[in-house]
Amino acid sequence: MHKLSLPVPGDDALAASSALQQLIIDDIHQHQGWIPFSRYMELALYAPDLGYYSGGATKLGKDGDFTTAPEMSPLFGATLARLASQLFSQTAAEVMEFGAGTGKLALDFLSECQLSGIAIERYFIVELSGELRARQEELLKGFPQVQWLQKMPDSFSGIVLGNEVLDAMPVDLVIKTADGWHEVGVAVVDEDSAPRLIFREQPQACSSDKIAQIPYADELPVGYLTEVHAIASGFMHSLASMLLASGKPAAAILIDYGFPAAEYYHPQRQQGSLMCHYRHHAHPDPFYLPGLQDITAHVDFTAMARAGLSAGLELLNYTSQASFLTAAGIADVLARTSPEQVMDYLPQANALQKLVSPAEMGELFKVLVMGQGVELPENLLRLDRSHRL
């Protein structure tokens, strides 16, 4: 086990992590001693019953490993609902959410619809985790519009929501060597009869399609390590197929932390953006207690936009979370609470500050909107940064 100064998990959690590590080691042995990092990340996060997102551990909030915008404040979901109400005149009055987590975004979204008289026919949640679905069902039992799906349907016309979905998709690691770009994967070494997971470079050059998303790849220095996002790009293609199949107006709103390609693959970002989250501690070791920690990478929004465009979608908007929420009316939602109601107003005002401040989430988080046949409100279009992608 890697020696990091992190909180010590209980015996049951350690046993589950050990079981997952053994499953990963077995998978490596079955693949001639090496697997791509994306395969490791897939098992660490999604292996049935043992992976981080498919196991039973608390992920979100003060008792979990990190906090998302919906967990911070109901203002986030309420603001998205107000924007959706403007788009429902163009699309079906239906929402599909990916990566719903505890269900808090759905709760706040639907609560705002109820409060403001926004007619919504169905709210689909695509959820693979039985444990998360059970939590969502309990939280959302007062909203009969909610329906759960185990996979993306063939066709959908409405509003798709994805908050911190793309960053949780497995990534491949590549490194620039004197002989060109090589892929970095995962292998096993035995130390004192205890197996340990390590990074290992593939000696042969990796495929050109994996390097195609890196601008000026030939000019980056030897030793430059970064991520490429084939699985997330594949998700964008599937999303496009689903939205285009209906032949009707639809839009997908994807909110995540990341950069356009020119910033993502900046020469000074020599070790990529891979990061792990465990009990509100961030650290760089993806092999620490697999199954008990989140593993993420920042999103290459240029690659996501290109994938959607190549599959036939329109790029409707790209901007910062601060600009998006401000244009969508988050201040108006807060204004419904009087500042004189100090105990109610101050926590909401503080949360709004975290959501939109450039020093907090406002600038690091971006919003990518793609779809077909949908026209966004003018105040949102004025803040568009698509030219930076």
Side-chain angles (χ1 to χ4, degrees):
M1 186 185 300
H2 295 238
K3 290 177 169 53
L4 292 171
S5 299
L6 297 171
V8 179
D11 291 342
D12 289 347
L14 281 173
S17 180
S18 295
L20 177 57
Q21 178 164 308
Q22 188 57 55
L23 183 151
I24 293 168
I25 290 170
D26 292 344
D27 193 74
I28 291 170
H29 288 322
Q30 290 166 16
H31 291 87
Q32 289 75 52
W34 185 93
I35 57 174
F37 185 79
S38 57
R39 173 60 177 166
Y40 169 79
M41 192 168 167
E42 176 190 356
L43 291 171
L45 297 181
Y46 302 107
D49 301 321
L50 295 173
Y52 180 75
Y53 286 110
S54 52
T58 299
K59 284 86 180 171
L60 304 173
K62 64 182 178 63
D63 297 323
D65 303 305
F66 56 91
T67 300
T68 62
E71 303 292 328
M72 289 170 52
S73 171
L75 296 175
F76 185 80
T79 303
L80 288 176
R82 286 164 64 94
L83 174 61
S85 71
Q86 298 178 62
L87 302 181
F88 284 159
S89 61
Q90 304 171 60
T91 73
E94 297 186 344
V95 170
M96 180 177 296
E97 184 182 357
F98 291 89
T102 63
K104 184 64 166 53
L105 173 55
L107 175 68
D108 296 335
F109 188 105
L110 290 166
S111 296
E112 177 64 24
C113 290
Q114 194 174 67
L115 176 68
S116 299
I118 301 168
I120 176 170
E121 296 174 10
R122 290 183 293 183
Y123 192 109
F124 296 102
I125 293 178
V126 181
E127 184 56 71
L128 305 180
S129 166
E131 182 261 337
L132 285 177
R133 174 171 172 169
R135 295 179 65 183
Q136 294 160 9
E137 287 177 338
E138 177 62 26
L139 187 68
L140 300 169
K141 58 188 177 184
F143 296 97
Q145 305 99 320
V146 182
Q147 295 182 27
W148 280 266
L149 304 173
Q150 288 192 304
K151 63 178 183 178
M152 188 183 296
D154 294 333
S155 176
F156 177 73
S157 171
I159 307 299
V160 171
L161 297 178
N163 182 61
E164 294 199 48
V165 171
L166 296 171
D167 71 85
M169 294 188 179
V171 295
D172 289 306
L173 294 182
V174 295
I175 189 168
K176 178 76 172 290
T177 75
D179 300 322
W181 288 91
H182 291 182
E183 188 165 353
V184 178
V186 182
V188 184
V189 294
D190 290 318
E191 289 184 347
D192 300 324
S193 74
R196 183 167 66 89
L197 297 169
I198 61 166
F199 287 116
R200 178 164 291 168
E201 222 178 277
Q202 274 283 57
Q204 67 266 32
C206 57
S207 60
S208 58
D209 59 325
K210 286 189 175 179
I211 307 306
Q213 70 178 246
I214 305 176
Y216 314 114
D218 292 342
E219 299 174 20
L220 291 170
V222 170
Y224 191 95
L225 176 73
T226 192
E227 309 89 24
V228 289
H229 302 257
I231 291 175
S233 295
F235 170 79
M236 294 299 296
H237 278 272
S238 298
L239 187 64
S241 296
M242 178 185 73
L243 297 181
L244 294 170
S246 72
K248 299 175 182 178
I253 301 172
L254 303 170
I255 305 168
D256 227 312
Y257 50 90
F259 311 99
E263 296 176 37
Y264 196 107
Y265 300 107
H266 192 280
Q268 292 181 353
R269 202 181 305 280
Q270 295 207 19
Q271 294 302 306
S273 69
L274 197 71
M275 189 57 62
C276 306
H277 300 274
Y278 177 70
R279 305 277 185 89
H280 293 277
H281 291 72
H283 69 90
D285 185 359
F287 304 134
Y288 180 78
L289 297 178
L292 302 187
Q293 65 172 357
D294 193 19
I295 307 172
T296 72
H298 285 51
V299 175
D300 173 1
F301 280 103
T302 301
M304 299 306 102
R306 284 177 175 166
L309 287 167
S310 69
L313 290 180
E314 303 164 29
L315 173 56
L316 303 177
N317 194 253
Y318 169 72
T319 192
S320 68
Q321 177 172 287
S323 295
F324 182 85
L325 292 177
T326 301
I330 193 169
D332 296 334
V333 181
L334 174 63
R336 295 189 307 212
T337 303
S338 170
E340 295 178 2
Q341 299 172 263
V342 177
M343 298 301 289
D344 293 326
Y345 182 83
L346 277 182
Q348 292 192 59
N350 289 336
L352 186 150
Q353 174 71 9
K354 289 183 179 179
L355 291 172
V356 303
S357 168
E360 299 274 356
M361 300 173 69
E363 189 59 38
L364 176 59
F365 278 70
K366 310 297 194 309
V367 184
L368 177 68
V369 186
M370 304 200 74
Q372 67 163 354
V374 171
E375 188 169 332
L376 297 181
E378 179 60 33
N379 57 339
L380 191 55
L381 294 176
R382 284 198 298 267
L383 301 169
D384 183 55
R385 299 184 186 176
S386 296
H387 60 281
R388 297 190 185 181
L389 289 172

